Amino acid sequence: MTDSLHIFLAGASRGVGKEIAKCLTAQNVQVTAFLRSPETSPELAAMGIKVNLGDALDSEAVDAAMTGSAPIDAVISTIGGLPKDGQRADYLGNKNLIDAAVKAGVKKFILVSSIGSGNTAGALPPQALETLGPVLIDKEKAENHLIASGMIYTVIRPGGLKSEPATGNGVLTQDCRVAGNIHRADVAQLVCQCLVSDVANNRVLSAVDKQMVYGSPEFEVLNF
């Protein structure tokens, strides 16, 4: 990875997004973070990250953040979460980011989604699918909007997320039957690999820890 890259990262305040921020800055990549809440701004700024405050549900704020930055090589989004005024960021927030990226001439967009979305619905137990149903519908809409955008895309669908340190056992697969758990730090490492590899371009991939896969399925792993 080179330090000439400029990455626009949405969702850097917590979870997978925060782990991605750590991964990128450790490799001297220039990062602009788009945050809804200022609470983590000092921590990110101390990492050398430029912070832009705004709500992804506000399309004008997203447009301003992207056009107000230096030319962006790629956008990474991990946003989602609780509804605001009946709207989840999982679809509308990501749609605004995707549309703004197209306007800004961004070439590559990596979207962190979830196993259970789209053709991986069958990989989840029925109870989990029922609980997550509305969120997964929004995530699938965001995935489809990205795929239709014309940008180079990678959709990464992690399994159940854990917060422990990286294991180094995270893998990506196109096999829609696979489900399992994975640590957030391992998802971040996979995202950073996809950022600089053409192997993952224009693919929808599930992310699991190969030691924490449900059942004992045989599946093909994406090799970088």
Side-chain angles (χ1 to χ4, degrees):
M1 194 175 290
T2 69
D3 56 10
S4 62
L5 285 176
H6 177 208
I7 306 304
F8 188 96
L9 175 60
S13 62
R14 60 189 176 85
V16 173
K18 194 170 185 179
E19 294 296 332
I20 292 170
K22 293 176 185 176
C23 181
L24 293 175
T25 54
Q27 298 175 72
N28 298 314
V29 174
Q30 181 186 356
V31 179
T32 296
F34 186 68
L35 302 179
R36 184 173 58 186
S37 169
E39 293 173 8
T40 55
S41 294
E43 183 182 357
L44 294 172
M47 294 164 62
I49 293 173
K50 178 185 176 183
V51 175
N52 248 316
L53 291 176
D55 192 331
L57 294 174
D58 180 348
S59 60
E60 292 183 2
V62 178
D63 286 345
M66 283 206 201
T67 56
S69 302
I72 298 164
D73 295 293
V75 173
I76 301 172
S77 175
T78 68
I79 66 169
L82 297 174
K84 179 184 177 183
D85 300 329
Q87 293 282 2
R88 287 187 182 86
D90 298 87
Y91 171 58
L92 185 58
N94 280 312
K95 178 183 183 296
N96 289 339
L97 288 164
I98 293 161
D99 292 345
V102 171
K103 290 179 192 174
V106 176
K107 298 293 191 292
K108 190 168 188 173
F109 196 114
I110 298 177
L111 176 63
V112 178
S113 182
S114 176
I115 286 181
S117 176
N119 66 351
T120 57
L124 292 185
Q127 186 176 358
L129 195 62
E130 184 177 351
T131 301
L132 297 171
V135 176
L136 295 174
I137 289 169
D138 279 358
K139 288 185 181 296
E140 182 180 5
K141 287 168 66 178
E143 292 175 8
N144 290 336
H145 193 71
L146 174 58
I147 291 166
S149 71
M151 288 185 288
I152 295 169
Y153 67 86
T154 304
V155 174
I156 296 177
R157 296 167 169 168
L161 293 167
K162 294 178 174 288
S163 296
E164 289 86 352
T167 66
N169 293 322
V171 294
L172 295 170
T173 180
Q174 286 186 282
D175 193 324
C176 63
R177 302 167 301 167
V178 175
N181 295 323
I182 186 168
H183 294 189
R184 288 175 172 86
D186 286 303
V187 177
Q189 290 182 4
L190 293 171
V191 169
C192 290
Q193 285 180 282
C194 290
L195 189 61
V196 294
S197 172
D198 293 339
V199 173
N201 286 357
N202 301 326
R203 293 179 187 263
V204 179
L205 302 160
S206 295
V208 292
D209 187 303
K210 60 187 177 184
Q211 302 297 328
M212 293 188 279
V213 177
Y214 301 156
S216 304
E218 291 186 7
F219 60 96
E220 188 175 344
V221 169
L222 184 77
N223 292 311
F224 290 99

